[in-house]
Amino acid sequence: MKSKTEQLADMQQRREKILEMIREDGTVTVKALTDTFGLTEATIRTDLRMLQKEGHVQRYHGGATLMTGKQNTGALLLERQTHLEEKEAIGRLAAQHVENGDTVIFDSGTTTTAIAEAIGHIRRLSVITTAVNIALKLGGEPGINILLTGGTFKFPTLSTSGEKAASFFENVLAEKLFLATACISPRLGLSFPSETDIKVKMAMINSASTVYVVADSSKIDKVSMFALPCEWSKIHYLITDSGITSAQITAFENLGVQVLVAGVEEVKKRAFY
């Protein structure tokens, strides 16, 4: 039997994972949480009450949602500031792999948004994306054709998800995919705090000839709750920042994944001048 200290640690870790799931999807049901964690409804409801007391979520009958309105928007903007310099550097490096005439899939996420903000050199491009903000960013650019998938809108990630979003990619053929991830580990692969996007991400991978995973180094050797069932042979590149270690680079390259490292110092110099 676990000690009281261990039980408290498990409870805190579980509540952090629940909060990650809600931040990803915007909402979650008690049933989904009981299925995920294998716990009683009473335990899950206690967790949600505590998260509400701490000001993270708002409970409703049968589930919980993120705080709405300005609080929700503020949380999103705060999240975007995390590792901002690293994401800008990754975005600039990834943008160099986008060429005129490409058909490119952009996953939703702060790092893929940084790529979209760095492709000013492109004059002809077809973009398929689940990210509403990327569609808005690039949709007004001459020569860029946007296809936005259908599906369920998720406010926290400004994206579409679900079966309809996944089915959109059934007949899509793209040269390149820029795929975001919550965590990436040479041993355990790509993983996410919610399973709602798993089918969409697999559909995107299967539609692209070349797959670039874009992730800042804080996500490396970390694991989230839901694994992406994808073989490493389908991942061609990892674009990350200079925080990655030489041992981590070797581990990925041994799996057949080419690692491209973006220099954060150049971003800092541009910001200074």
Side-chain angles (χ1 to χ4, degrees), residues 246-264:
S246 58
Q248 289 169 334
I249 292 174
T250 299
F252 284 114
E253 291 183 341
N254 287 341
L255 295 168
V257 178
Q258 186 173 343
V259 179
L260 306 177
V261 180
V264 177

Side-chain angles (χ1 to χ4, degrees), residues 56-154:
H56 298 300
V57 306
Q58 181 175 329
R59 294 170 61 222
Y60 62 85
H61 182 69
T65 184
L66 274 181
M67 289 297 184
T68 56
K70 292 182 179 179
Q71 288 174 303
N72 203 344
T73 303
L76 179 67
L77 293 175
L78 181 63
E79 179 183 329
R80 286 182 177 276
Q81 294 175 7
T82 305
H83 304 288
L84 181 60
E85 291 175 343
E86 290 83 355
K87 291 173 181 178
E88 288 179 355
I90 293 167
R92 290 178 184 275
L93 178 56
Q96 296 175 20
H97 292 258
V98 180
E99 301 174 302
N100 278 307
D102 275 347
T103 297
V104 177
I105 301 171
F106 281 110
D107 192 8
S108 62
T110 53
T111 309
T112 51
T113 298
I115 304 171
E117 291 172 346
I119 58 172
H121 63 291
I122 297 298
R123 295 294 176 264
R124 292 181 296 106
L125 189 68
S126 293
V127 172
I128 306 153
T129 186
T130 57
V132 176
N133 63 314
I134 290 178
L136 290 171
K137 168 68 180 174
L138 298 178
E141 299 292 331
I144 297 183
N145 179 47
I146 302 290
L147 291 173
L148 180 64
T149 67
T152 303
F153 178 63
K154 300 199 307 178

